[in-house]
């Protein structure tokens, strides 16, 4: 049986801004990589997911 590897992340979403006319919300995303105890802040979920993907691909 091979070695099982686990990589964990915590994502926290904070409302950064909201357009009054349309009600569109803009979120700030804080990503914590649990194993390395590193935190990073992103203006969009797409950028946060790219960061996570990069870490997972390195493992």
């Amino acid at each position: 049986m091979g070695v099982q590897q686990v990589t964990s992340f915590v994502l926290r979403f904070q409302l950064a801004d909201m357009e009054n006319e349309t009600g569109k919300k803009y979120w700030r995303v804080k990503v914590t990589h649990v194993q390395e105890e590193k935190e990073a802040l992103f203006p969009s979920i797409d950028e946060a997911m790219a960061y996570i993907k990069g870490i997972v691909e390195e493992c």
Side-chain angles (χ1 to χ4, degrees), residues 4-55:
Q4 183 178 9
Q5 190 170 4
V6 175
T7 301
S8 303
F9 298 90
V10 175
L11 279 69
R12 179 177 262 170
F13 295 83
Q14 180 181 9
L15 185 61
D17 198 9
M18 186 169 79
E19 292 181 5
N20 289 332
E21 293 178 12
T22 64
K24 182 177 179 177
K25 296 178 181 178
Y26 297 91
W27 295 92
R28 195 172 313 149
V29 185
K30 182 179 180 182
V31 177
T32 304
H33 183 210
V34 176
Q35 284 74 15
E36 294 187 12
E37 298 182 6
K38 287 185 180 178
E39 294 182 340
L41 192 60
F42 300 94
S44 72
I45 192 166
D46 292 332
E47 291 179 55
M49 294 309 292
Y51 172 75
I52 291 170
K53 183 179 178 185
I55 291 174

